[in-house]
Amino acid sequence: MVEDVLYPVTPVAPPSSFAGAPLKVCPQGFSCCTVEMEEKLSQQSRSDLKAPVSRLSTGLQSNFKQKHDHFDTFFRELLKNAEGSLHNMFVRTYGMMYVQNAELFKNFFTSLTRYYQSGSSAVNLDSMLSEFWAELLERMFRLVNVQYEFTDEYMDCVSRYTDQLQPFGDVPRKLRIQLTRAFVATRTFVRGLALIPQVVNKVSTVGASVSCVRAVMKMMYCPYCSGQVALKPCQNYCLNVMRGCLANQADLDTEWNNFLDAMLSLAERLEGPFNFESVVEPIDVKISDAIMNMQENSMQVSQKVFQGCGQPKPSAAFRTRRSLKETSFTGRFRPYSPDARPTTAAGTSLDRLTTDVKKKLKQAKKFWSTLPETMCAGERIAAGDECWNGTAKSRYESVVIGNGLANQVSNPDVAVDITKPDVIIRSQIAVLKEMTSWLKAAHSGNDISVENDEGGSGGEESGSGCDSPSCDTDQFYFSTPPNPSNPRVNKVAVNPASSAKVAAHGSMALALCGLALAWLAPHLR
């Protein structure tokens, strides 16, 4: 008669019988578990499944949140630095004439910043640029013709000749094309970076079905219930379970990859003809060139305006000396040198930022469809035939099914209702499709987005998607019971009636169950 049996200190009641326990998940027959223990292990299995998905998703979110912030900071600082550079240069070059009209340029940069932040819903870029040049022409026309008085009606007439006269040369047309392409591409790309953590966060909240939780519990914990504490799941068995559990997520992969391809394609544009940095940094030089062009052709422009709009009245307050001083434009800016461009507080140039983010975008491809492989690798899984196949220690014979919801109709280990795709996943597929269309349009220099997203494509959500108190986001892989090499145990006395049943199964079975219970104890509290 066995007088003492080893059990863990944790309050786990030893099973009253080792055979024929009416288990719901694990194989019937010899078992160290009860139905109540199965229920607790099922709850643990839900967390075990969510923990690695949450950890991988959180890493992806964090990575692209950081990339978004780097780009956003870089672009905002480029605009801020360009405005400061223009102000400093124009003060030195044009003096009081600029200072008296500085609000025109300040408003110009304010509008550019608003467009970057909120898009065409806040600022019509074409209209804003046209109004800027029209206002600049009006102010310069008054300055170069200070000896005359001009009514508002006369200046309206002057503005009608702007396109015909081209007082600023070809600068307005070229700058409009450059700014439109660069701003549309930049803004859309940053919005794409902001979308990645948003989508990942929402998808990571998708819960596991009851059948999935049961399958994970059977795969991870039934070996312990049978006393086989060192037995690991077969790799192909794990793949079928995970592909069944993550079938909806895998369906996201096609649009996810299309979106990433569109991001990569637009990144190429940012490195080339739509380079925001090369357009914005020398904007002071380009506007100055336009002003110089107007100055050099002021007489011809004025004469054509006088012919079309009539001879203006002389100014009663006109003084020749004051006029000459105020209309004297002095000097040109130094030629712009791309080699001399400064780096911003973001810490790098656009070329280096783009090169880095392209690498991350490529690594993120097929993230969802490869989750099962990621989770069924390494020391957690047995690659050979000496493994747990769901019923015993033996080779896993079933064929590994494909990814995605449609393929789960033949999944041998997880019951999946292929007629009910997950609503969250479907909504994110639609979001990715829409963003991809915006990215493709931006690749051609067109802004087709109409959504107002105040704050420069920010507002991304945070969180790991873990909605269970037991979800351990610090656990990267499936949790496994602690090392049982030296489990803390107490001797538990067994009454004679129980001893008879225990003895019938032998001391080896008792020892195995004692060890298995020691392993399972942390998950049964």
Side-chain angles (χ1 to χ4, degrees), residues 14 16 43 64 82 121 144 153 168 191 310 362 413 416 495 523:
S16 60
Q43 295 174 9
F64 280 99
S121 62
V144 298
E153 291 77 11
F168 301 111
R191 292 186 73 184
K362 291 175 182 177
D413 299 295
V416 181
N495 62 43
H523 305 281

Side-chain angles (χ1 to χ4, degrees), residues 89-90 92-94 171 284-297 329-336:
M89 288 183 172
F90 276 33
R92 293 196 303 268
T93 304
Y94 302 116
V171 174
D284 49 7
V285 178
K286 295 174 182 179
I287 293 177
S288 178
D289 285 343
I291 292 173
M292 293 298 180
N293 195 64
M294 171 65 183
Q295 178 208 359
E296 292 169 357
N297 297 285
F329 290 81
T330 58
R332 282 184 178 273
F333 290 134
R334 55 180 170 76
Y336 173 68

